[in-house]
Amino acid sequence: ELAVRPTNPTISSSKEIAIDAGGSSTFTIPELGLPGTRRAGVRISPTPGITFGHRLESLIRYPYGCMEQTMSAVFPQLYLRNIIEAADVDRVSSRVDFNINAGIQRLQRFRTPNGGFGYWPGAPKPNEWATNYGGHYLLEASRLGFYVPPDLLDDWKTFQRRMAARESGIPLTRAYRLYLLALAGEPMVSAMNLLGEERLAEMNNLAKWLLAAAYNLAGMEEAAHRILAVAATDVKPYRELGGTFGSAVRDHAMMLYLATKLDRPGVALELYHELAPILGGSSYLSTHAAGYALLAVGNYLQSTWQSDLEIRGRLSVDGRLQRRFDRSDGSVSIDLTEHTGREITIESASEAPIYAAFEWQGIPL
């Protein structure tokens, strides 16, 4: 059998509509793409700015093979699993849980003999940034209750402590490593002090945020405040094809993640409003930028979600009732693939405004 695929890429688009309490709104999803390639849906939420489902789907579909692409596909699902939840909760939760566990298992293929992670499966030498990224995923997955083989995490910690003692890597890589060791409950204060005393002036803003977060986790709040006092959030546009795979979007996403962890709501909100439109748009993002932006936004929404906000109402297609919805702990996703080109009406029975994020995609002729 030979696979036959269109030469064109998948095109995605989205539109978010605000619906007043007790009000209604109507929208027709365009018939984008060839029949059989179309997908469409709506996510109804008490929070605006979550039109980023196409980004996550794109990462999941991506023909990844390297460490960075593998982690970028599964890492955001740790935080988005409770926010992007469909009507069939058990089915969606089991699919996301399967992806997360598969990511943990796949990570073992990148393991090097000294406990680090290579950039490609079976690599003889570790990649320091990939080791940070993969270890970060393992720590958060373990914290959220997923099983991580103890030897996998223990060997990673040993390797990271060794690299920290050697002062290996550029300041950003070192600061990320020290933050992760503090997150693992094993802060290396001497290495943190050395980095802060010798390299603070030449560190970029992201590295300063990481080092401040490491101090905060180590219980040294005064040192954390001292560094945050000279850490801004501005980043000049740039894009790395190697190294740390950095970009302005990636850096701002990491800052949003850290601002959320450091309980800096003003900074976090500002960064969220900057990243949400980028994720909701169709401009190009590298897998690393998209992955980190998704996990940062997911972590932010998860931490700020108000469980007492209810979304109630019904959805009709061409005037015929299709679905009723009633939920108070997240959003509701409804698949509308079979209803593209038809009139979709959402009637709200909520006591506060709700937001309908329509997303659709397809492969054009």
Side-chain angles (χ1 to χ4, degrees):
E1 294 186 3
L2 293 177
V4 179
R5 348 179 256 192
T7 55
N8 282 338
T10 298
I11 304 299
S12 302
S13 192
S14 62
K15 181 177 178 64
E16 186 171 65
I17 298 173
I19 304 172
D20 293 332
S24 65
S25 185
T26 299
F27 182 73
T28 300
I29 299 178
E31 295 180 308
L32 176 64
L34 295 164
T37 70
R38 298 171 187 160
R39 295 187 63 182
V42 63
R43 185 170 303 108
I44 305 167
S45 165
T47 305
I50 58 171
T51 53
F52 46 68
H54 63 292
R55 296 287 188 186
L56 185 59
E57 288 292 336
S58 177
L59 284 176
I60 293 173
R61 286 199 315 267
Y62 197 88
Y64 52 78
C66 69
M67 152 71 82
E68 179 273 313
Q69 292 162 353
T70 300
M71 289 297 95
S72 293
V74 295
F75 205 159
Q77 296 181 61
L78 286 172
Y79 306 106
L80 295 171
R81 59 199 295 266
N82 294 325
I83 295 168
I84 300 181
E85 193 117 283
D88 189 349
V89 176
D90 293 335
R91 180 181 65 81
V92 173
S93 294
S94 62
R95 179 170 70 93
V96 172
D97 288 352
F98 174 82
N99 292 342
I100 292 170
N101 285 314
I104 296 171
Q105 293 302 314
R106 183 174 174 81
L107 200 52
Q108 300 198 62
R109 298 172 57 187
F110 297 87
R111 191 175 183 179
T112 58
N114 58 7
F117 295 120
Y119 189 67
W120 293 100
K125 294 183 179 180
N127 176 287
E128 292 188 35
W129 188 263
T131 299
N132 283 343
Y133 199 31
H136 194 178
Y137 174 70
L138 292 178
L139 289 172
E140 292 289 7
S142 177
R143 182 181 66 83
L144 293 173
F146 291 90
Y147 175 74
V148 176
D151 63 316
L152 183 65
L153 206 48
D154 289 343
D155 289 351
W156 174 84
K157 292 177 188 177
T158 300
F159 174 81
Q160 293 288 69
R161 287 195 299 269
R162 189 183 310 124
M163 291 296 102
R166 293 179 183 175
E167 305 172 39
S168 180
I170 62 174
L172 178 58
T173 301
R174 291 171 61 186
Y176 194 11
R177 179 189 297 123
L178 292 170
Y179 166 73
L180 295 174
L181 284 170
L183 188 65
E186 300 182 10
M188 291 188 64
V189 177
S190 59
M192 290 156 52
N193 290 340
L194 187 63
L195 178 61
E197 291 168 5
E198 293 187 348
R199 310 294 290 273
L200 186 63
E202 64 186 80
M203 290 165 63
N204 63 21
N205 285 323
L206 176 56
K208 293 173 184 175
W209 274 92
L210 286 163
L211 186 58
Y215 274 117
N216 186 73
L217 287 172
M220 304 173 67
E221 296 184 4
E222 184 177 342
H225 289 309
R226 176 174 54 82
I227 295 174
L228 285 175
V230 296
T233 59
D234 56 298
V235 180
K236 293 181 179 179
Y238 80 106
R239 181 182 297 167
E240 290 181 342
L241 300 180
T244 74
F245 305 96
S247 65
V249 172
R250 193 285 308 272
D251 286 9
H252 279 147
M254 291 186 75
M255 289 177 189
L256 171 58
Y257 168 83
L258 294 166
T260 304
K261 295 287 187 183
L262 289 167
D263 194 22
R264 298 261 171 161
V267 177
L269 181 62
E270 181 180 335
L271 290 168
Y272 170 73
H273 283 313
E274 180 177 329
L275 287 172
I278 295 174
L279 281 175
S282 57
S283 59
Y284 169 79
L285 290 178
S286 69
T287 53
H288 198 46
Y292 231 116
L294 282 167
L295 76 87
V297 166
N299 182 57
Y300 173 76
L301 290 175
Q302 192 177 67
S303 67
T304 58
W305 200 274
Q306 298 182 45
S307 60
D308 58 339
L309 292 179
E310 296 183 352
I311 48 172
R312 295 195 306 273
R314 62 182 190 172
L315 180 145
S316 302
V317 178
D318 290 340
R320 294 185 177 183
L321 179 65
Q322 187 73 20
R323 232 332 264 292
R324 295 183 185 275
F325 53 89
D326 187 346
R327 192 170 182 188
S328 61
D329 60 346
S331 62
V332 171
S333 295
I334 302 173
D335 184 80
L336 298 173
T337 301
E338 297 180 0
H339 305 303
T340 55
R342 301 168 69 179
E343 190 175 81
I344 312 297
T345 301
I346 297 177
E347 299 174 75
S348 171
S350 301
E351 298 179 357
I354 62 175
Y355 301 86
F358 290 92
E359 295 183 294
W360 59 96
Q361 59 182 264
I363 300 177
L365 181 64

